[in-house]
Each structure stands twice: as C-alpha cells, then as structure tokens.
Amino acid sequence: MIQEIGLKELDPDKFVEEQAESIKAAVGDGIAINALSGGVDSSVVTMLGHRALGRQLRTVIVQNGLLREGETEWVSTVFHELGVEVEIIDARMEFLDSLKGLTDPEEKREAVTNTFYKRVFGRLVRESGARFLLQGTILTDVDETVAGIKRQHNVFAQLGIDPEEALGYQIIEPLVRLRKDGVRIAGRALGLPEEMLGRIPFPGPGLAARIIGEVTAERLETVRKATVIVEKALAGSGAFQYMAILHSDRVTGVREGRRDFGQQIEVRCWDSTDSRTATPSRLPYEILEKMAADITDQVPGVVSVTYNITAKPPSTIEAI
Ligand code: XMP
C-alpha cells in the first residue's frame, strides 16, 4: 500500500530535496536512464533526476511514432533551455511492427509496454551500462492498474512484477506518492516553466490509446492531424484534458454531391482535478461546430465528428 502525499501535506521544497537524496542514494555512482515523454510527470522526474544525478543521468526521448505532432523537437528545445540535454531515439518502426494486427485494447497496451521496456530500454541499458530507469509513475496510474481498469504502461512492482528480474534493471519512481496536482506543484519548485507544467496529460501509450482498432501509420496520421486541431481549439478552455479519438467503424458522408463512406473522430474534453473522476466540459456550440468543420476540412477521409458527453465513470478518459 503506497502512502499518498495529499496537497495539504505536500511541502514541495522538502519533497524535492528528499526525493533527490533518495535517488542519489539508490544510484550511487552508477548511471541511470530516464525517458522523457514531454508529459508533466516525466518532465518533473527529469528535473528531479538532474538535480540528484547531474551527468550520471542520461535523458532520452523515445520517438515511438505515437507522439503528437512536433513533440520531440518542442520538448528537447524546452529542456535545452533549462540546461538539460536530451537524446532522441528513433524507434518508430519497432513500435509500429509490435502493434501490427492488434485490435484488443489491452494487447495494444501490452505491445507498447513490451517494446518500450524490454526492447528499447533493454537495449539502451545494455549499451550504456545503466542499472536504473527513472520514471514518472504517479499514484493514479498504480490505482487504475491494480484495480484492473487499465494496464498503465509504467506500472510493474505493484503488479508483482520484479523489474530487475523481468527487465534487467531497477525502476525508481519518485512521484509515486503524488497525484497530478501534487506533481505540478513539485515541478514548479523545480523551476519547470508554466508552459510545461500547464500541459494537459498525455498517456504513455500515446496516440495508440486514441485509436480504436488497429494502429497503422496511416491511422496515426489521421488522429495526429485531428489532435492538432482539437488542442488548438481547446487550449484556452481551462479543461483538464482534451483529445481526438479515431473510431474503427465508418459512416456514410457526402462530399461534393457524392457518397463518401468515411471515418469518424470523437472529441473528448474533460473537467477533472485528478483524473479519477471526470465530467465532460460544457463547451460552447460555436467551438464544437468550428472543430467539426476544421477536422472534416483538414483531415483526409473524416466525414463525422462527435462530442462525448459521458462522465468518468462509467467512461474512462482515454478510449482504450
Ligand atoms: P483513463 O483513461 O484511465 O486515464 O481514465 C486517466 C489518466 O491517465 C492517463 N493515462 C495514462 N498515463 N500511461 C500514462 O502515463 C498510460 O498507460 C495511461 N493511460 C491513461 C490519461 O491520459 C488520463 O489523464
């Protein structure tokens, strides 16, 4: 049972100091690797790791092909300005291959997990001699995985899997007693810029969590393009998280007077504080209509856009 640190008890400076010390103690004079995804959690872990380990920490962004448009470039620029050098590792083909033919949500999550931890990290760890992986698991990830709702791609020990045995390296999780709101406060204490801390959450399995059915290069491109439009339209909404989801069933549309049996995008926009429960944001119709028009105009093959009005529970935030 992990002891939660709630917002009332959280002293961010003390938290940062204690975590940095315990990372340093665990790693000693060894080398640790940390995977930066650009999300709030992994960004906070990166800063924490650098404070604790300096040059003993190697920070990488794995370009898994499941990221948002321009993501690796944007993230590496922000961290460069913070004095943290980030290496980009191109593993797009490996991830696409591992997802080929899979339609079951948990099998897709498992494929991303295995490619990430066993193949890509396994290789990095062997090459660099690192024995530790620093990662940004938070308490919500653990709760949902243990409850069997979703296999969060970054949860091992809590499922009874020993990472050392299964993967050949140890995993350090400095944020595991916090939830999202606490992580943001810790990040502020570490000097992360607001443009990074204020980012909406993005899941480990990336856009694969937003494609119903098989993940292919073409379908990734479709959801990625729709994501750009949704994120731009809702950036000022104040919502907790928003996204585009690509459905697998098609519907009949009409373009230039001709039948077009096309694809469907579902937009979700959530109000929430910690992602355990969430309600759909009451967005103005003008915004919804503009998003629908932009998506059907600019994303090839899409003829239908819907807005999800279901709360979590029974929905979840991501589609798979
Ligand atoms: P769900 O879809 O379970 O999402 O309601 C709750 C929050 O967690 C994020 N999420 C993930 N984050 N790895 C992550 O790091 C994952 O596998 C994962 N799945 C969901 C989701 O974006 C939301 O903020």
Side-chain angles (χ1 to χ4, degrees):
M1 185 66 187
I2 300 166
Q3 195 87 50
E4 175 169 356
I5 305 178
L7 284 194
K8 283 202 198 84
E9 311 136 71
L10 178 64
D11 173 341
D13 293 319
K14 187 165 151 245
F15 176 84
V16 165
E17 204 174 299
E18 281 174 3
Q19 292 305 321
E21 268 167 31
S22 84
I23 294 169
K24 181 85 197 133
V27 176
D29 53 11
I31 290 172
I33 289 191
N34 113 286
L36 175 60
S37 71
V40 177
D41 308 339
S42 75
S43 295
V44 172
V45 163
T46 299
M47 293 308 284
L48 205 46
H50 270 267
R51 174 164 307 199
L53 300 171
R55 298 176 68 83
Q56 286 167 264
L57 182 70
R58 187 170 158 199
T59 296
V60 300
I61 301 182
V62 177
Q63 174 47 286
N64 56 14
L66 311 173
L67 303 176
R68 288 169 288 184
E69 192 159 290
E71 185 71 4
T72 52
E73 296 80 5
W74 185 79
V75 175
S76 55
T77 306
V78 172
F79 275 91
H80 177 76
E81 281 161 12
L82 290 166
V84 176
E85 292 315 319
V86 177
E87 235 176 290
I88 298 173
I89 292 177
D90 185 358
R92 283 176 291 187
M93 289 318 290
E94 269 174 286
F95 279 88
L96 259 189
D97 278 351
S98 73
L99 286 160
K100 207 174 176 144
L102 302 183
T103 53
D104 178 79
E106 292 298 293
E107 282 179 16
K108 281 154 68 178
R109 283 176 169 267
E110 180 108 24
V112 175
T113 304
N114 284 341
T115 308
F116 203 78
Y117 290 95
K118 290 199 176 139
R119 294 182 57 182
V120 177
F121 273 108
R123 194 163 59 232
L124 270 176
V125 162
R126 279 194 302 279
E127 284 167 9
S128 65
R131 283 197 32 240
F132 302 90
L133 175 69
L134 223 61
Q135 75 171 13
T137 319
I138 67 172
L139 196 47
T140 316
D141 302 341
V142 176
D143 285 348
E144 298 218 329
T145 300
V146 173
I149 297 167
K150 285 184 192 186
R151 169 74 162 87
Q152 298 270 0
H153 94 304
N154 48 3
V155 173
F156 291 93
Q158 296 81 7
L159 286 175
I161 301 169
D162 176 358
E164 181 88 67
E165 216 168 89
L167 308 165
Y169 51 85
Q170 290 178 41
I171 296 184
I172 301 175
E173 298 171 318
L175 307 181
V176 79
R177 295 176 60 194
L178 301 181
R179 297 194 188 270
K180 198 62 103 190
D181 38 13
V183 174
R184 289 205 167 102
I185 293 170
R188 216 160 274 137
L190 282 156
L192 273 171
E194 286 305 317
E195 55 172 349
M196 191 56 104
L197 291 173
R199 293 192 95 193
I200 54 172
F202 188 71
L207 297 175
R210 299 176 180 175
I211 292 179
I212 299 168
E214 190 182 2
V215 178
T216 63
E218 195 187 3
R219 303 192 77 213
L220 277 165
E221 223 19 65
T222 302
V223 81
R224 187 176 287 123
K225 284 204 169 87
T227 301
V228 173
I229 295 167
V230 170
E231 290 197 351
K232 201 163 150 201
L234 300 179
S237 65
F240 176 83
Q241 195 171 0
Y242 32 87
M243 65 199 66
I245 288 156
L246 176 60
H247 281 242
S248 57
D249 49 344
R250 292 177 174 252
V251 291
T252 299
V254 55
R255 270 187 205 281
E256 289 155 16
R258 307 181 84 172
R259 174 189 152 86
D260 183 0
F261 195 49
Q263 311 208 67
Q264 305 191 65
I265 290 285
E266 173 190 331
V267 175
R268 295 183 176 192
C269 179
W270 297 106
D271 292 336
S272 176
T273 50
D274 62 10
S275 83
R276 281 183 293 181
T277 60
T279 50
S281 305
R282 296 196 165 202
L283 296 174
Y285 247 87
E286 295 70 41
I287 293 185
L288 291 168
E289 283 170 346
K290 171 94 170 50
M291 266 191 292
D294 287 348
I295 292 170
T296 48
D297 276 352
Q298 296 165 32
V299 186
V302 176
V303 296
S304 167
V305 176
T306 57
Y307 184 56
N308 188 314
I309 49 167
T310 319
K312 170 184 178 174
S315 183
T316 57
I317 288 181
E318 304 289 345
I320 75 155

PDB file of all heavy atoms in Angstrom, residues 148-164:
ATOM      1  N   GLY A 148      -7.361  -3.123 -12.097  1.00  0.00           N
ATOM      2  CA  GLY A 148      -7.642  -3.874 -13.324  1.00  0.00           C
ATOM      3  C   GLY A 148      -8.429  -3.092 -14.353  1.00  0.00           C
ATOM      4  O   GLY A 148      -8.998  -3.655 -15.280  1.00  0.00           O
ATOM      5  N   ILE A 149      -8.469  -1.760 -14.188  1.00  0.00           N
ATOM      6  CA  ILE A 149      -9.229  -0.961 -15.152  1.00  0.00           C
ATOM      7  C   ILE A 149      -8.439  -0.833 -16.450  1.00  0.00           C
ATOM      8  O   ILE A 149      -8.941  -1.093 -17.535  1.00  0.00           O
ATOM      9  CB  ILE A 149      -9.563   0.431 -14.561  1.00  0.00           C
ATOM     10  CG1 ILE A 149     -10.461   0.257 -13.328  1.00  0.00           C
ATOM     11  CG2 ILE A 149     -10.250   1.314 -15.600  1.00  0.00           C
ATOM     12  CD1 ILE A 149     -10.615   1.489 -12.475  1.00  0.00           C
ATOM     13  N   LYS A 150      -7.199  -0.407 -16.317  1.00  0.00           N
ATOM     14  CA  LYS A 150      -6.317  -0.332 -17.479  1.00  0.00           C
ATOM     15  C   LYS A 150      -4.920  -0.723 -17.060  1.00  0.00           C
ATOM     16  O   LYS A 150      -4.490  -0.373 -15.969  1.00  0.00           O
ATOM     17  CB  LYS A 150      -6.247   1.102 -18.033  1.00  0.00           C
ATOM     18  CG  LYS A 150      -7.470   1.492 -18.797  1.00  0.00           C
ATOM     19  CD  LYS A 150      -7.347   2.842 -19.416  1.00  0.00           C
ATOM     20  CE  LYS A 150      -8.727   3.245 -19.896  1.00  0.00           C
ATOM     21  NZ  LYS A 150      -8.745   4.483 -20.649  1.00  0.00           N
ATOM     22  N   ARG A 151      -4.231  -1.392 -17.940  1.00  0.00           N
ATOM     23  CA  ARG A 151      -2.833  -1.709 -17.678  1.00  0.00           C
ATOM     24  C   ARG A 151      -2.036  -0.479 -18.050  1.00  0.00           C
ATOM     25  O   ARG A 151      -1.793  -0.220 -19.204  1.00  0.00           O
ATOM     26  CB  ARG A 151      -2.433  -2.918 -18.531  1.00  0.00           C
ATOM     27  CG  ARG A 151      -0.954  -3.199 -18.566  1.00  0.00           C
ATOM     28  CD  ARG A 151      -0.514  -3.817 -17.239  1.00  0.00           C
ATOM     29  NE  ARG A 151       0.781  -4.470 -17.392  1.00  0.00           N
ATOM     30  CZ  ARG A 151       1.948  -3.841 -17.248  1.00  0.00           C
ATOM     31  NH1 ARG A 151       1.992  -2.569 -16.946  1.00  0.00           N
ATOM     32  NH2 ARG A 151       3.067  -4.519 -17.401  1.00  0.00           N
ATOM     33  N   GLN A 152      -1.679   0.343 -17.040  1.00  0.00           N
ATOM     34  CA  GLN A 152      -0.864   1.526 -17.313  1.00  0.00           C
ATOM     35  C   GLN A 152       0.515   1.039 -17.680  1.00  0.00           C
ATOM     36  O   GLN A 152       1.064   0.157 -17.041  1.00  0.00           O
ATOM     37  CB  GLN A 152      -0.795   2.415 -16.072  1.00  0.00           C
ATOM     38  CG  GLN A 152      -2.148   2.939 -15.653  1.00  0.00           C
ATOM     39  CD  GLN A 152      -2.496   4.265 -16.300  1.00  0.00           C
ATOM     40  OE1 GLN A 152      -1.730   4.812 -17.071  1.00  0.00           O
ATOM     41  NE2 GLN A 152      -3.661   4.776 -15.987  1.00  0.00           N
ATOM     42  N   HIS A 153       1.080   1.625 -18.695  1.00  0.00           N
ATOM     43  CA  HIS A 153       2.258   1.005 -19.270  1.00  0.00           C
ATOM     44  C   HIS A 153       3.476   1.124 -18.366  1.00  0.00           C
ATOM     45  O   HIS A 153       4.487   0.503 -18.594  1.00  0.00           O
ATOM     46  CB  HIS A 153       2.519   1.546 -20.670  1.00  0.00           C
ATOM     47  CG  HIS A 153       3.459   2.675 -20.742  1.00  0.00           C
ATOM     48  ND1 HIS A 153       3.275   3.817 -20.030  1.00  0.00           N
ATOM     49  CD2 HIS A 153       4.604   2.813 -21.437  1.00  0.00           C
ATOM     50  CE1 HIS A 153       4.288   4.629 -20.307  1.00  0.00           C
ATOM     51  NE2 HIS A 153       5.093   4.047 -21.147  1.00  0.00           N
ATOM     52  N   ASN A 154       3.361   1.909 -17.294  1.00  0.00           N
ATOM     53  CA  ASN A 154       4.551   2.133 -16.467  1.00  0.00           C
ATOM     54  C   ASN A 154       4.462   1.502 -15.080  1.00  0.00           C
ATOM     55  O   ASN A 154       5.180   1.885 -14.184  1.00  0.00           O
ATOM     56  CB  ASN A 154       4.795   3.637 -16.335  1.00  0.00           C
ATOM     57  CG  ASN A 154       3.524   4.389 -15.964  1.00  0.00           C
ATOM     58  OD1 ASN A 154       2.491   3.768 -15.764  1.00  0.00           O
ATOM     59  ND2 ASN A 154       3.607   5.688 -15.864  1.00  0.00           N
ATOM     60  N   VAL A 155       3.541   0.577 -14.896  1.00  0.00           N
ATOM     61  CA  VAL A 155       3.377   0.015 -13.559  1.00  0.00           C
ATOM     62  C   VAL A 155       3.854  -1.442 -13.526  1.00  0.00           C
ATOM     63  O   VAL A 155       3.348  -2.280 -14.244  1.00  0.00           O
ATOM     64  CB  VAL A 155       1.902   0.117 -13.100  1.00  0.00           C
ATOM     65  CG1 VAL A 155       1.683  -0.621 -11.800  1.00  0.00           C
ATOM     66  CG2 VAL A 155       1.501   1.577 -12.952  1.00  0.00           C
ATOM     67  N   PHE A 156       4.827  -1.730 -12.676  1.00  0.00           N
ATOM     68  CA  PHE A 156       5.371  -3.091 -12.590  1.00  0.00           C
ATOM     69  C   PHE A 156       5.298  -3.664 -11.180  1.00  0.00           C
ATOM     70  O   PHE A 156       4.582  -4.626 -10.938  1.00  0.00           O
ATOM     71  CB  PHE A 156       6.833  -3.111 -13.058  1.00  0.00           C
ATOM     72  CG  PHE A 156       6.967  -2.871 -14.506  1.00  0.00           C
ATOM     73  CD1 PHE A 156       7.173  -1.588 -14.985  1.00  0.00           C
ATOM     74  CD2 PHE A 156       6.839  -3.906 -15.420  1.00  0.00           C
ATOM     75  CE1 PHE A 156       7.267  -1.348 -16.341  1.00  0.00           C
ATOM     76  CE2 PHE A 156       6.929  -3.672 -16.781  1.00  0.00           C
ATOM     77  CZ  PHE A 156       7.145  -2.397 -17.233  1.00  0.00           C
ATOM     78  N   ALA A 157       6.061  -3.037 -10.264  1.00  0.00           N
ATOM     79  CA  ALA A 157       6.200  -3.601  -8.919  1.00  0.00           C
ATOM     80  C   ALA A 157       4.827  -3.845  -8.293  1.00  0.00           C
ATOM     81  O   ALA A 157       4.598  -4.879  -7.659  1.00  0.00           O
ATOM     82  CB  ALA A 157       7.011  -2.650  -8.045  1.00  0.00           C
ATOM     83  N   GLN A 158       3.911  -2.901  -8.532  1.00  0.00           N
ATOM     84  CA  GLN A 158       2.599  -3.010  -7.897  1.00  0.00           C
ATOM     85  C   GLN A 158       1.779  -4.160  -8.481  1.00  0.00           C
ATOM     86  O   GLN A 158       0.757  -4.545  -7.938  1.00  0.00           O
ATOM     87  CB  GLN A 158       1.841  -1.683  -8.042  1.00  0.00           C
ATOM     88  CG  GLN A 158       2.509  -0.516  -7.320  1.00  0.00           C
ATOM     89  CD  GLN A 158       3.664   0.109  -8.114  1.00  0.00           C
ATOM     90  OE1 GLN A 158       3.889  -0.242  -9.264  1.00  0.00           O
ATOM     91  NE2 GLN A 158       4.392   1.016  -7.492  1.00  0.00           N
ATOM     92  N   LEU A 159       2.215  -4.683  -9.612  1.00  0.00           N
ATOM     93  CA  LEU A 159       1.544  -5.851 -10.190  1.00  0.00           C
ATOM     94  C   LEU A 159       2.281  -7.137  -9.836  1.00  0.00           C
ATOM     95  O   LEU A 159       1.996  -8.198 -10.378  1.00  0.00           O
ATOM     96  CB  LEU A 159       1.494  -5.721 -11.720  1.00  0.00           C
ATOM     97  CG  LEU A 159       0.509  -4.711 -12.307  1.00  0.00           C
ATOM     98  CD1 LEU A 159       0.678  -4.641 -13.811  1.00  0.00           C
ATOM     99  CD2 LEU A 159      -0.914  -5.099 -11.962  1.00  0.00           C
ATOM    100  N   GLY A 160       3.275  -6.995  -8.955  1.00  0.00           N
ATOM    101  CA  GLY A 160       4.034  -8.173  -8.552  1.00  0.00           C
ATOM    102  C   GLY A 160       5.102  -8.553  -9.566  1.00  0.00           C
ATOM    103  O   GLY A 160       5.610  -9.671  -9.548  1.00  0.00           O
ATOM    104  N   ILE A 161       5.432  -7.620 -10.484  1.00  0.00           N
ATOM    105  CA  ILE A 161       6.490  -7.919 -11.457  1.00  0.00           C
ATOM    106  C   ILE A 161       7.775  -7.268 -10.949  1.00  0.00           C
ATOM    107  O   ILE A 161       7.797  -6.077 -10.655  1.00  0.00           O
ATOM    108  CB  ILE A 161       6.142  -7.316 -12.849  1.00  0.00           C
ATOM    109  CG1 ILE A 161       4.811  -7.886 -13.350  1.00  0.00           C
ATOM    110  CG2 ILE A 161       7.270  -7.572 -13.857  1.00  0.00           C
ATOM    111  CD1 ILE A 161       4.244  -7.170 -14.569  1.00  0.00           C
ATOM    112  N   ASP A 162       8.822  -8.070 -10.813  1.00  0.00           N
ATOM    113  CA  ASP A 162      10.095  -7.507 -10.372  1.00  0.00           C
ATOM    114  C   ASP A 162      10.853  -7.021 -11.607  1.00  0.00           C
ATOM    115  O   ASP A 162      11.291  -7.835 -12.425  1.00  0.00           O
ATOM    116  CB  ASP A 162      10.897  -8.605  -9.646  1.00  0.00           C
ATOM    117  CG  ASP A 162      12.279  -8.113  -9.250  1.00  0.00           C
ATOM    118  OD1 ASP A 162      12.630  -6.949  -9.560  1.00  0.00           O
ATOM    119  OD2 ASP A 162      13.020  -8.902  -8.633  1.00  0.00           O
ATOM    120  N   PRO A 163      11.012  -5.701 -11.756  1.00  0.00           N
ATOM    121  CA  PRO A 163      11.645  -5.183 -12.974  1.00  0.00           C
ATOM    122  C   PRO A 163      13.061  -5.715 -13.175  1.00  0.00           C
ATOM    123  O   PRO A 163      13.459  -6.020 -14.299  1.00  0.00           O
ATOM    124  CB  PRO A 163      11.669  -3.664 -12.776  1.00  0.00           C
ATOM    125  CG  PRO A 163      10.783  -3.369 -11.633  1.00  0.00           C
ATOM    126  CD  PRO A 163      10.640  -4.620 -10.831  1.00  0.00           C
ATOM    127  N   GLU A 164      13.776  -5.862 -12.063  1.00  0.00           N
ATOM    128  CA  GLU A 164      15.163  -6.363 -12.169  1.00  0.00           C
ATOM    129  C   GLU A 164      15.174  -7.732 -12.840  1.00  0.00           C
ATOM    130  O   GLU A 164      15.972  -8.006 -13.732  1.00  0.00           O
ATOM    131  CB  GLU A 164      15.770  -6.440 -10.753  1.00  0.00           C
ATOM    132  CG  GLU A 164      17.197  -6.922 -10.720  1.00  0.00           C
ATOM    133  CD  GLU A 164      18.211  -5.800 -10.884  1.00  0.00           C
ATOM    134  OE1 GLU A 164      18.301  -4.955  -9.973  1.00  0.00           O
ATOM    135  OE2 GLU A 164      18.897  -5.754 -11.919  1.00  0.00           O
TER     136      GLU A 164
END
